[in-house]
Amino acid sequence: QVKLVESGGGLVQPGGSLRLSCAASGSIFTIDRMCWYRQALGKQRELVARISTNGGGTDYADSVKGRFTISRDNAKNTIYLQMNSLAPEDTAVYYCVFAGVRDYWGQGTQVTVSS
C-alpha cells in the first residue's frame, strides 16, 4: 500500500509561482511513473506532467510546457511540481499519482490563480 500526501497549494497572483510536493510512504517498488494531474471546475481531468522511475524521463501537457517542471527526490520518495508564470487557467485541484501495477492518488491540493 502506498500513501501520498500533497502540499504546497494555495492562492497566487497571475505571473506568480508555486511548488507542489507529494511525499509517498509505503512500498513503491512496483511504481514505474509518477504524475501530476489537475481538474478544474467543470472540466475533465488533465495529465499535467509525468516522470519515469527508470531514467527520469519527463513529459508535459502542451499547456504547461516551459512553465512547469516535474522533479523527484528518490531519497525522500517525493515528487515536486514547480509552477512558474501561473495564469488563471491553471486554477484547479492538483493530484499526484504514483502509477504502476496499480495507481495511487493523493488527496488533491487546490491551486487558485487570481488577482
Side-chain angles (χ1 to χ4, degrees):
Q1 188 74 10
V2 176
K3 181 180 178 182
L4 304 178
V5 178
E6 302 174 21
S7 59
L11 173 65
V12 63
Q13 292 187 341
S17 298
L18 281 176
R19 189 176 81 153
L20 306 182
S21 300
C22 175
S25 59
S27 174
I28 63 168
F29 294 109
T30 61
I31 301 300
D32 58 33
R33 62 197 183 279
M34 295 159 282
C35 314
W36 287 97
Y37 282 80
R38 68 184 180 187
Q39 187 164 22
L41 197 61
K43 293 188 178 181
Q44 288 189 333
R45 190 174 293 165
E46 173 188 24
L47 175 63
V48 175
R50 62 185 173 192
I51 185 167
S52 71
T53 57
N54 183 16
T58 58
D59 292 297
Y60 296 91
D62 287 343
S63 58
V64 307
K65 280 181 182 176
R67 300 188 299 124
F68 290 11
T69 302
I70 187 171
S71 62
R72 62 182 183 172
D73 184 331
N74 291 335
K76 296 181 179 179
N77 285 345
T78 299
I79 62 169
Y80 305 95
L81 186 67
Q82 178 67 43
M83 305 184 293
N84 298 328
S85 301
L86 284 162
E89 52 265 35
D90 296 315
T91 295
V93 178
Y94 284 71
Y95 300 90
C96 63
V97 179
F98 278 40
V101 174
R102 59 165 290 186
D103 296 349
Y104 299 90
W105 286 74
Q107 80 281 7
T109 186
Q110 176 71 46
V111 171
T112 302
V113 185
S114 175
S115 56

